[in-house]
């Protein structure tokens, strides 16, 4: 039900934003003095969020977009999907899955959805799980799996304008490993592209790496892999993009290559980088020498390719510095040229995962995967904004990490109610906290109170109106109160988007803190009455005083729209 909130008398109360805010260039943060994953806790909910360390900021990053990430690792309580606003405040959080990767905003049949992968990520560097779609009210509307009894992999899931979805799949197959020094056939993880019709689940296209590449094309050392129970991850597909021609652009981490595949026949059209590179490098090797890369995408109207060039992995963690690359490709002349690179000022070495996104304003946005950082650059590579969500002293340890980090526009209208909680502080004053997980459109909170719970909306008294800033907002009530309190969340047009449950502050969890104190400036006559009547008369006298005050105010009006 939706309401329009009309003007009312608002009683002034002290108030504050409850969020702690981010750190700014904190040496203690990056030294690990606040722990491996500094967090913000809240009073109205048991959710927690990262408390960021902002090392560099710029107005050029203020584009109204939200930041989407999936924190996980030993320092986190559990894996989650999360949205942060431009100031680093939490907007929405989802948990309750084994592992969560790859939180995106995607369009399907003209509507916006959150999509992510969830499942088991402890299966040889990839995942076994499903892809989920949530609507703008955060309802689960679809769960999508791979075809042919296989598991959906964590690395990629993309929805097309045609209502299809393509994703990565891993499968164990037996191949001849003698070219790598083994004596016979052995097990490998083959990498597949599957594209399906979302509605019917019909398989529309499938491609296998082992059908088109030799096992000897890999840069990955086989070591003791390729034996029963120790499958060799030789190709490691970690991103797929698709162009208007219907062809696929694939990143192979262990071939150190970007591969362009015919979307009808599956034939390899060309290969950029790797042992079978087909392009002339116009940048003295810098356009084709990337390694262990992630997240290759078409950019600049399909004339350039961007990628997250890890340049290192867990077996070679110090050989280079991680950077983003923008590579111009001329498919007619078969030339490649590095036109911009994106290097973090702290010379990060990202041994796994990572993302590169070209934003609508042309900026480049990079999430550093295993390293708890994200950075925004200008189109030409100038650092604009740089943020850590884990201490730099522990980069590479993986205590907290996010497979990818992206920025998107998003509008969320949760079907849940706002969360509220009330506490008494050391000064014997009451403080009420309110938050609403996922509600992007709330701009104002209205605090209301009543002495009788079973009453009409118009009989609730308005105590305060606060601008919604951050995830959680605090009302400081001092020591004046009514028995029942609730909070309304309003949008910028005054429409009521949600109403919290009513809090009864006479319950044990409120009264066991300290005896009540009434402020002299507000109800002096009532204080005299309390002094005469004693503690028993406090409640009766205060109720009569509030009834008198209520008779002098205009009632609110909630109008259906």
């Amino acid at each position: 039900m939706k309401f329009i909130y009309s003007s009312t008398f608002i009683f002034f109360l002290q108030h504050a934003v409850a969020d702690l805010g981010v750190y700014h260039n904190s040496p203690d943060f990056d030294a690990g003095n606040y722990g491996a994953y500094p967090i913000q806790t809240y009073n109205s909910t048991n959710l927690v969020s990262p408390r960021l360390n902002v090392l560099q900021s710029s107005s050029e990053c203020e584009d109204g977009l939200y930041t989407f990430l999936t924190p996980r690792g030993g320092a986190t309580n559990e894996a989650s999907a999360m949205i942060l606003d431009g100031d680093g405040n939490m907007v929405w959080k989802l948990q309750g899955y084994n592992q969560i990767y790859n939180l995106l905003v995607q369009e399907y049949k003209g509507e916006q959805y959150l999509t992510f992968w969830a499942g088991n990520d402890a299966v040889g560097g990839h995942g076994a799980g499903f892809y989920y779609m949530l609507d703008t009210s955060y309802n689960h509307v679809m769960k999508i799996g791979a075809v042919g009894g296989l598991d959906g992999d964590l690395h990629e899931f993309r929805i097309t304008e045609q209502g299809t979805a393509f994703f990565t799949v891993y499968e164990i197959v037996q191949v001849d490993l003698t070219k790598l020094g083994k004596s016979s056939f052995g097990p490998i993880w083959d990498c597949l592209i599957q594209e399906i019709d979302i509605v019917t689940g019909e398989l529309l296209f499938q491609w296998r790496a082992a059908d088109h590449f030799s096992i000897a094309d890999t840069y990955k050392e086989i070591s003791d892999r390729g034996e029963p129970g120790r499958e060799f991850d030789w190709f490691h597909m970690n991103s797929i993009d698709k162009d208007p021609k219907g062809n696929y652009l694939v990143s192979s981490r262990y071939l150190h290559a970007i591969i362009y595949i015919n979307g009808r026949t599956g034939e390899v059209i060309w290969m950029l980088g790797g042992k079978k590179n087909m392009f002339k490098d116009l940048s003295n090797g810098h356009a084709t020498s990337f390694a262990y890369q992630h997240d290759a995408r078409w950019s600049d109207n399909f004339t350039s390719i961007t990628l997250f060039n890890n340049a290192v992995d867990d077996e070679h963690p110090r050989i280079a510095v991680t950077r983003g690359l923008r590579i111009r490709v001329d498919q007619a002349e078969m030339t490649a040229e590095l036109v911009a690179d994106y290097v973090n000022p702290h010379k990060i070495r990202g041994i796994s995962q990572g993302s590169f996104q070209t934003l609508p304003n042309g900026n480049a946005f990079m999430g550093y995967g295993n390293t708890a950082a994200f950075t925004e650059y200008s189109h030409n590579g100038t650092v604009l904004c740089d943020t850590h969500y884990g201490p730099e002293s522990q980069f590479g340890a993986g205590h907290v990490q996010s497979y990818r980090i992206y920025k998107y526009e998003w509008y969320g209208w949760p079907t849940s109610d706002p969360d509220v909680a009330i506490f008494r502080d050391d000064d014997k004053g009451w403080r009420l906290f309110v938050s609403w997980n996922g509600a992007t459109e709330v701009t104002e909170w209205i605090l209301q109170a009543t002495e009788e719970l079973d009453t009409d909306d118009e009989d609730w008294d308005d105590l305060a109106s606060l601008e919604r800033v951050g995830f959680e907002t605090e009302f400081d009530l001092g020591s004046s109160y009514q028995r029942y309190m609730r909070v309304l969340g309003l949008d910028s047009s005054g429409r009521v988007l949600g109403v919290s449950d009513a809090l009864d502050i006479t319950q044990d969890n409120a009264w066991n803190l300290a005896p009540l104190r009434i402020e002299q400036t507000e109800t002096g006559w009532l204080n005299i009455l309390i002094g005469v009547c004693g503690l028993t008369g406090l409640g009766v006298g205060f109720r009569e005083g509030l009834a008198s005050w209520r008779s002098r105010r205009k009632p609110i009006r909630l109008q259906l729209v």
Side-chain angles (χ1 to χ4, degrees):
M1 186 175 296
K2 298 178 181 178
F3 301 92
I4 294 294
Y5 186 82
S6 66
S7 61
T8 65
F9 173 84
I10 299 296
F11 185 69
F12 176 77
L13 298 173
Q14 294 180 335
H15 55 83
V17 177
D19 295 28
L20 294 175
V22 301
Y23 295 100
H24 292 276
N25 261 315
S26 170
D28 285 333
F29 182 106
D30 275 331
N33 294 339
Y34 303 140
Y37 183 44
I39 59 171
Q40 159 86 63
T41 60
Y42 303 96
N43 295 282
S44 56
T45 176
N46 61 3
L47 297 176
V48 302
S49 63
R51 192 174 178 194
L52 309 178
N53 189 22
V54 177
L55 284 78
Q56 186 170 332
S57 60
S58 168
S59 60
E60 294 183 58
C61 302
E62 298 172 3
D63 50 13
L65 303 181
Y66 295 106
T67 301
F68 292 68
L69 66 164
T70 53
R72 70 184 204 286
T76 64
N77 185 41
E78 64 177 310
S80 63
M82 190 179 301
I83 303 174
L84 305 177
D85 68 16
D87 294 320
N89 302 306
M90 185 170 71
V91 174
W92 172 79
K93 183 177 183 179
L94 173 72
Q95 49 195 24
Y97 293 85
N98 182 6
Q99 294 291 344
I100 303 178
Y101 283 65
N102 203 28
L103 179 64
L104 310 174
V105 175
Q106 301 199 64
E107 183 173 316
Y108 176 62
K109 294 186 175 179
E111 300 293 335
Q112 297 292 302
Y113 293 87
L114 295 178
T115 68
F116 61 90
W117 174 93
N120 179 13
D121 66 348
V123 283
H126 57 276
F130 294 89
Y131 311 103
Y132 295 85
M133 295 175 60
L134 277 59
D135 63 18
T136 53
S137 294
Y138 306 99
N139 299 310
H140 285 79
V141 297
M142 206 164 295
K143 177 182 178 181
I144 299 170
V147 177
L150 301 176
D151 295 311
D153 171 52
L154 60 87
H155 285 98
E156 194 67 278
F157 175 80
R158 298 282 172 162
I159 297 172
T160 71
E161 294 180 357
Q162 293 72 37
T164 68
F166 56 83
F167 42 84
T168 49
V169 178
Y170 282 60
E171 183 182 20
I172 299 173
V173 299
Q174 298 287 325
V175 300
D176 185 352
L177 297 176
T178 56
K179 291 182 179 179
L180 297 181
K182 296 291 182 177
S183 60
S184 62
F185 279 65
I188 66 167
W189 284 111
D190 198 10
C191 292
L192 290 72
I193 302 171
Q194 285 191 349
E195 183 166 353
I196 65 169
D197 182 289
I198 291 179
V199 173
T200 66
E202 177 188 358
L203 180 65
L204 305 175
F205 179 83
Q206 181 167 284
W207 181 90
R208 288 179 174 272
D211 290 343
H212 299 274
F213 290 94
S214 166
I215 195 76
D217 292 334
T218 187
Y219 283 88
K220 179 73 171 177
E221 298 169 2
I222 193 168
S223 187
D224 60 349
R225 295 289 177 174
E227 306 291 342
R230 297 186 61 80
E231 297 80 14
F232 181 42
D233 186 7
W234 68 288
F235 190 86
H236 200 92
M237 184 189 301
N238 55 32
S239 72
I240 312 169
D241 200 8
K242 195 174 183 182
D243 65 13
K245 298 177 182 178
N247 298 330
Y248 301 92
L249 190 74
V250 168
S251 169
S252 168
R253 183 184 186 192
Y254 292 140
L255 264 58
H256 298 183
I258 308 302
I259 302 148
Y260 189 49
I261 299 165
N262 188 298
R264 292 180 295 103
T265 67
E267 294 301 313
V268 172
I269 299 173
W270 49 251
M271 180 172 172
L272 175 68
K275 294 179 181 180
K276 294 183 177 179
N277 170 58
M278 300 168 65
F279 283 79
K280 180 181 179 181
D281 193 327
L282 302 181
S283 302
N284 297 318
H286 297 299
T288 55
S289 60
F290 47 84
Y292 308 107
Q293 77 289 337
H294 286 76
D295 208 9
R297 305 284 162 198
W298 284 112
S299 187
D300 305 315
N301 196 29
F302 302 96
T303 63
S304 298
I305 294 171
T306 60
L307 57 89
F308 182 90
N309 179 26
N310 296 74
V312 294
D313 72 348
D314 50 358
E315 296 178 359
H316 312 89
R318 308 294 299 177
I319 59 175
V321 172
T322 297
R323 63 188 66 215
L325 303 180
R326 184 176 299 274
I327 304 167
R328 182 183 297 119
V329 292
D330 186 329
Q331 298 184 62
E333 298 296 326
M334 293 302 290
T335 60
E337 181 181 7
L338 181 65
V339 293
D341 64 351
Y342 306 82
V343 183
N344 186 278
H346 295 258
K347 303 297 187 280
I348 291 174
R349 292 176 171 88
I351 62 173
S352 71
Q353 309 160 80
S355 56
F356 187 112
Q357 179 189 20
T358 301
L359 299 174
N361 64 5
N363 288 352
F365 187 72
M366 291 175 59
Y368 283 85
N370 175 264
T371 300
F374 53 88
T375 308
E376 186 163 338
Y377 302 83
S378 68
H379 195 77
N380 66 7
T382 301
V383 177
L384 301 175
C385 299
D386 190 28
T387 303
H388 294 172
Y389 59 99
E392 185 174 354
S393 61
Q394 299 178 30
F395 281 1
H399 296 315
V400 57
Q401 53 191 300
S402 178
Y403 169 55
R404 288 171 172 166
I405 305 180
Y406 289 136
K407 290 177 71 174
Y408 295 107
E409 185 178 55
W410 177 250
Y411 302 93
W413 294 274
T415 56
S416 62
D417 296 327
D419 293 308
V420 291
I422 190 167
F423 301 96
R424 206 166 191 181
D425 59 26
D426 293 338
D427 295 327
K428 301 184 180 356
W430 293 98
R431 295 192 297 164
L432 185 144
F433 299 87
V434 58
S435 63
W436 197 0
N437 189 29
T440 63
E441 302 311 292
V442 172
T443 60
E444 181 184 8
W445 297 113
I446 300 291
L447 175 64
Q448 295 185 324
T450 185
E451 281 294 292
E452 302 294 338
L453 186 59
D454 186 17
T455 188
D456 295 332
D457 283 325
E458 63 185 20
D459 292 324
W460 283 80
D461 299 325
D462 307 336
L463 300 187
S465 170
L466 297 184
E467 179 184 8
R468 186 265 184 92
V469 179
F471 181 74
E472 185 175 67
T473 302
E474 173 189 348
F475 290 86
D476 186 353
L477 280 62
S479 55
S480 297
Y481 72 99
Q482 290 168 271
R483 177 173 180 177
Y484 298 103
M485 294 191 180
R486 71 180 188 181
V487 180
L488 280 61
L490 279 63
D491 67 11
S492 58
S493 66
R495 181 174 56 174
V496 177
L497 301 180
V499 182
S500 75
D501 289 337
L503 290 177
D504 182 353
I505 66 171
T506 65
Q507 295 299 308
D508 290 342
N509 61 353
W511 277 99
N512 61 8
L513 299 175
L516 179 69
R517 174 174 58 85
I518 303 299
E519 292 183 357
Q520 178 73 29
T521 55
E522 296 178 3
T523 53
W525 67 269
L526 188 54
N527 276 323
I528 297 173
L529 179 61
I530 292 172
V532 174
C533 297
L535 185 61
T536 303
L538 182 151
V540 175
F542 184 57
R543 181 175 299 182
E544 293 301 316
L546 286 173
S548 176
W549 170 70
R550 182 188 295 123
S551 68
R552 297 195 300 270
R553 64 176 292 278
K554 292 170 59 179
I556 71 163
R557 301 295 178 189
L558 297 179
Q559 303 170 0
L560 285 171
V561 295

